[in-house]
Amino acid sequence: MAISNQVTQSAPANVIPVTCPADGRVVGSIPVQTADDVAAVAERLRAAQPEWEALGSQGRGKWLGRWRDWILDNRLELLETVQAEGGKSWGDATIEALAAVEAINYNVKVAARQLRDDHPSPAGIANRLKRLTVSHRAYPLVGLITPWNYPLAMPMLDCPAALMAGCAVLSKPSELTPLSWIAAVEGWNQIGAPDVLEAVTGAGAAGAAVVDAVDMVQFTGSTATGRKVGARAGERLIPASLELGGKDAMIVLADADIERATNGAVWGAFFNAGQSCTAVERVYVESVVYDQFLDRLVAKTLNLRAGMDRPGRYATDFGALATEEQIRIVERHVEEARAAGARTLTGGKRTGDGNVYEATVLVDVGNDMACMREETFGPTLPVMRVADSDEAVRLANDSTYGLSASVWSKDQAKARAVARRLNVGAVNINSVMMNVFQFPIPQAGWITSGVGARAGANGVVKYTRPQAIVSDLVEMKSEIFWYPHTSRLGALQERAVSLLGARDMRRRLRGPKR
Ligand code: ADP
C-alpha cells in the first residue's frame, strides 16, 4: 500500500491532513495560515520580545528549564505523536526527546557566558585611552523553518538558542509532520511562559510568509528550498542561516575495526529510514578489507526489521519514508543504478506496508550514478571498492555537497589526516552522525550543504547583533583631529602618523617625502 497525498485532495483547501506514512491513517490536521495570519502572529511576538530580552539569561533560562520539565513529563505523548506522524519505529522516535532536553539544557548553561559583554583592548597607542564594549543584542524576531524528518528534535536544535539569546521565535514546522512541534509549543504556553514562541502552520507559502515577517531566519531543509529562502532573505537584507542537504561519505581504511565500522554503517545509513541530512549515503572501502566489510555489512543489514511498531515495543528498527515522492526518489536511484550494472545485495524494493522500503545495500556502483551523487534520503547504502585513501578522498570530494563524513581507522593520526583533506563541515572518526549532538562544536554545511552554522562557540550569539560602544577613559575638551584645522595641529598629526605607524626608526623620525 503506497501512501500518497490523495487524502489532501478531498480535504478543505484551508486544511492540511496529517497522515501516518507507515499505514495511511489520518492522525490530525492543520490549518493553512495566510500571510496575513503569519504577520499578525509576528506582530504579537514582537510586542512581547523586549520584556523577554529584559529578563536576562537567568530569567529566560528559568522558563526554558520549566519547558524542559514539561517535555520530560509529557514525553511519551510527544513521542507517540512523533512516531505517528513520521511513521517511525519506536526506537528511532525516542531519540528525539533526548535531543530536545539536551539542547535546552546546553543552551541554558552556556547563554550567559556567550552573551556577556566583551571589552577588547584598543588597537594601537593612539587608542589607548578608549574603552571598547561589544554587547550582544537579540534579533527581535527569529523565523525557524524546519523539515519533516525529526519533527521535535529539529526545531529543538535551534529554538532554545534563539530563545536564550532573547529573541522571540516564529516557528513553521513541516506540513507533513507539524503535530509534535505544535504540542511542544502548547507546552510552552501551558507552563505560562511569555508569549515569545509560536508555531504557524501551512506549506511553502506559510514558510515564505515567515521569511517575510522576521529579522533573521534559521532554515533546515532541502537545498532547493534553502536557495529560495536565502534569496528572499537577501532581498529583505536579513541574515539566513541554512542547514541543507548532504551526501555523506564513509571512508573505511584498511586498518579499520570492521565490526564497529559495519555496525556504524548500518545505523548511519538506515536510522530513521535514511532520512537524516547527515546519514551515510555512500561508502568507500579500501580494497584489502572490501570483501570482509561487505560480508559483515550484508549479514547485519539482513537482520534489520523494517516497519512501524507500536509505541514502547522496540519491535522494528526503522520505519517509513515520509511521502510517496520520497520513496520514488529511492526507487529511481536503485533502478538507475541497476540499469547501469550495479547489484543490490539486500532489499531493493518496498516491503508492501505503507511507505516502507527495505534496507538496500548496493555494490558495483560508479561515482557518476545518481545513488552516489544526489541526496537519496532513504534506506540505501551504495558501497564502492577503492585502491587506497587517496582514491577515497578524491571520490568523496567529488560532490556538490559538503555536510559531513566519517573516516574509519585504528590509527587516529591517519584518520585525522584523511579528515583534513575532506571538503565537509564535520568529520566523525570511527563513528557516524555524532557531530550533530556535540553542541560545543559548530554544525556547518559547506558548498551547497549550507550557509552559517548552528551550535558551537557562537550558537547563542548568532541570534544577536553585535553593538559596539566606544567611550573615553579620559575626556579632553577637544581631539587633535576635530575642528578647526590649524597648521600646528596638522603638524602634530603628521608627526603622529610617522611615530605611531612606522615600524622602523628611519621612517619614524623622517616624516613623508616632500
Ligand atoms: P524537506 O522537508 O523535503 O526538506 P523542504 O526543504 O521543501 O523539504 O521543506 C522544509 C521546510 O520549508 C518545510 O517546513 C516547508 O514547508 C518549508 N518551505 C517550503 N517552501 C518554502 C519557501 N518557499 N519558503 C520558506 N519555507 C518553505
Side-chain angles (χ1 to χ4, degrees):
M1 174 189 49
I3 313 294
S4 70
N5 291 335
Q6 289 153 349
V7 224
T8 56
Q9 286 162 14
S10 56
N14 55 356
V15 168
I16 300 177
V18 180
T19 56
C20 170
D23 58 18
R25 187 165 43 105
V26 174
V27 292
S29 67
I30 49 162
V32 176
Q33 289 184 274
T34 64
D36 285 347
D37 296 337
V38 173
V41 175
E43 203 175 320
R44 219 186 70 209
L45 297 174
R46 274 183 194 287
Q49 184 272 336
E51 216 173 302
W52 175 247
E53 189 176 5
L55 277 181
S57 44
Q58 226 185 345
R60 296 192 291 272
K62 280 190 185 140
W63 283 114
L64 271 95
R66 285 176 206 152
W67 195 29
R68 173 207 54 222
D69 293 345
W70 184 94
I71 289 166
L72 282 170
D73 294 346
N74 294 280
R75 68 179 184 274
L76 281 185
E77 209 176 312
L78 282 172
L79 291 177
E80 282 177 23
T81 309
V82 166
Q83 187 187 28
E85 64 182 350
K88 297 177 186 236
S89 68
W90 180 253
D92 279 0
T94 52
I95 204 162
E96 302 216 21
L98 178 65
V101 296
E102 288 278 290
I104 292 177
N105 285 337
Y106 178 75
N107 284 289
V108 169
K109 190 174 100 186
V110 299
R113 182 161 35 91
Q114 280 194 32
L115 295 172
R116 231 186 350 234
D117 283 0
D118 294 330
H119 295 288
S121 303
I125 297 171
N127 292 313
R128 269 286 154 76
L129 295 179
K130 300 288 179 208
R131 177 174 159 79
L132 307 184
T133 304
V134 182
S135 64
H136 306 285
R137 302 281 309 283
Y139 282 104
L141 186 59
V142 167
L144 181 58
I145 302 173
T146 45
W148 40 261
N149 53 346
Y150 297 102
L152 178 65
M154 197 53 90
M156 279 300 188
L157 290 183
D158 300 297
C159 184
L163 286 173
M164 283 309 296
C167 315
V169 175
L170 176 59
S171 59
K172 210 297 280 175
S174 166
E175 60 278 22
L176 297 171
T177 57
L179 306 176
S180 323
W181 183 244
I182 290 172
V185 173
E186 271 170 22
W188 178 261
N189 292 325
Q190 269 182 33
I191 60 169
D195 187 23
V196 289
L197 172 63
E198 188 57 281
V200 290
T201 53
V210 168
V211 182
D212 280 349
V214 297
D215 306 304
M216 185 218 164
V217 61
Q218 167 68 47
F219 172 86
T220 308
S222 62
T223 296
T225 307
R227 265 206 182 93
K228 289 187 203 161
V229 169
R232 182 62 190 143
E235 276 170 11
R236 291 204 56 230
L237 292 177
I238 62 165
S241 182
L242 310 172
E243 295 293 326
L244 311 176
K247 190 72 190 170
D248 285 11
M250 170 175 187
I251 295 179
V252 183
L253 301 179
D255 63 350
D257 175 341
I258 299 299
E259 189 59 23
R260 181 171 169 83
T262 45
N263 285 333
V266 167
W267 186 74
F270 303 124
F271 175 69
N272 205 35
Q275 299 168 109
S276 307
C277 47
T278 52
V280 176
E281 292 240 342
R282 49 198 173 121
V283 191
Y284 301 105
V285 189
E286 267 197 90
S287 195
V288 281
V289 287
Y290 178 81
D291 292 330
Q292 191 192 350
F293 179 88
L294 216 50
D295 283 351
R296 302 295 304 133
L297 181 73
V298 167
K300 288 170 187 177
T301 304
L302 288 172
N303 282 335
L304 291 176
R305 301 153 300 172
M308 190 177 91
D309 50 359
R310 304 275 292 277
R313 288 289 171 87
Y314 298 97
T316 61
D317 294 306
F318 68 88
L321 289 143
T323 57
E324 171 64 17
E325 188 191 6
Q326 202 55 46
I327 207 166
R328 288 215 182 115
I329 293 173
V330 175
E331 285 177 332
R332 178 170 63 79
H333 287 187
V334 171
E335 277 154 25
E336 281 183 18
R338 274 179 177 145
R343 288 178 297 135
T344 49
L345 297 187
T346 68
K349 60 180 187 332
R350 300 175 188 232
T351 62
D353 287 327
N355 287 348
V356 184
Y357 195 90
E358 291 179 355
T360 301
V361 173
L362 281 156
V363 291
D364 301 339
V365 290
N367 226 39
D368 53 345
M369 293 180 185
C371 68
M372 298 293 277
R373 303 201 73 76
E374 297 172 22
E375 188 176 41
T376 308
F377 229 62
T380 60
L381 190 56
V383 187
M384 217 173 142
R385 185 198 288 270
V386 291
D388 51 28
S389 60
D390 283 350
E391 188 183 9
V393 168
R394 185 174 56 75
L395 293 173
N397 282 340
D398 179 18
S399 175
T400 54
Y401 290 109
L403 193 57
S404 57
S406 64
V407 180
W408 301 73
S409 164
K410 285 185 190 140
D411 181 340
Q412 281 277 333
K414 195 183 346 166
R416 278 168 197 275
V418 170
R420 284 174 192 280
R421 295 168 63 198
L422 295 172
N423 296 331
V424 293
V427 182
N428 292 286
I429 291 175
N430 297 332
S431 190
V432 282
M433 297 205 274
M434 280 304 110
N435 66 295
V436 178
F437 302 101
Q438 311 310 312
F439 302 128
I441 56 171
Q443 193 200 342
W446 292 8
I447 326 174
T448 64
S449 290
V451 175
R454 68 157 55 98
N458 293 318
V460 176
V461 168
K462 86 173 208 186
Y463 292 106
T464 66
R465 299 159 292 185
Q467 185 172 53
I469 296 173
V470 182
S471 59
D472 289 281
L473 294 176
V474 177
E475 284 180 9
M476 293 172 302
K477 293 295 174 203
S478 187
E479 303 273 335
I480 61 167
F481 43 81
W482 289 3
Y483 296 144
H485 291 309
T486 64
S487 21
R488 192 178 63 81
L489 286 177
L492 214 60
Q493 273 185 47
E494 262 188 35
R495 285 290 301 136
V497 173
S498 303
L499 273 172
L500 302 179
R503 288 293 174 269
D504 63 282
M505 200 49 85
R506 193 165 56 88
R507 285 189 179 78
R508 220 167 243 173
L509 298 176
R510 199 181 59 181
K513 282 187 193 157
R514 301 265 177 209

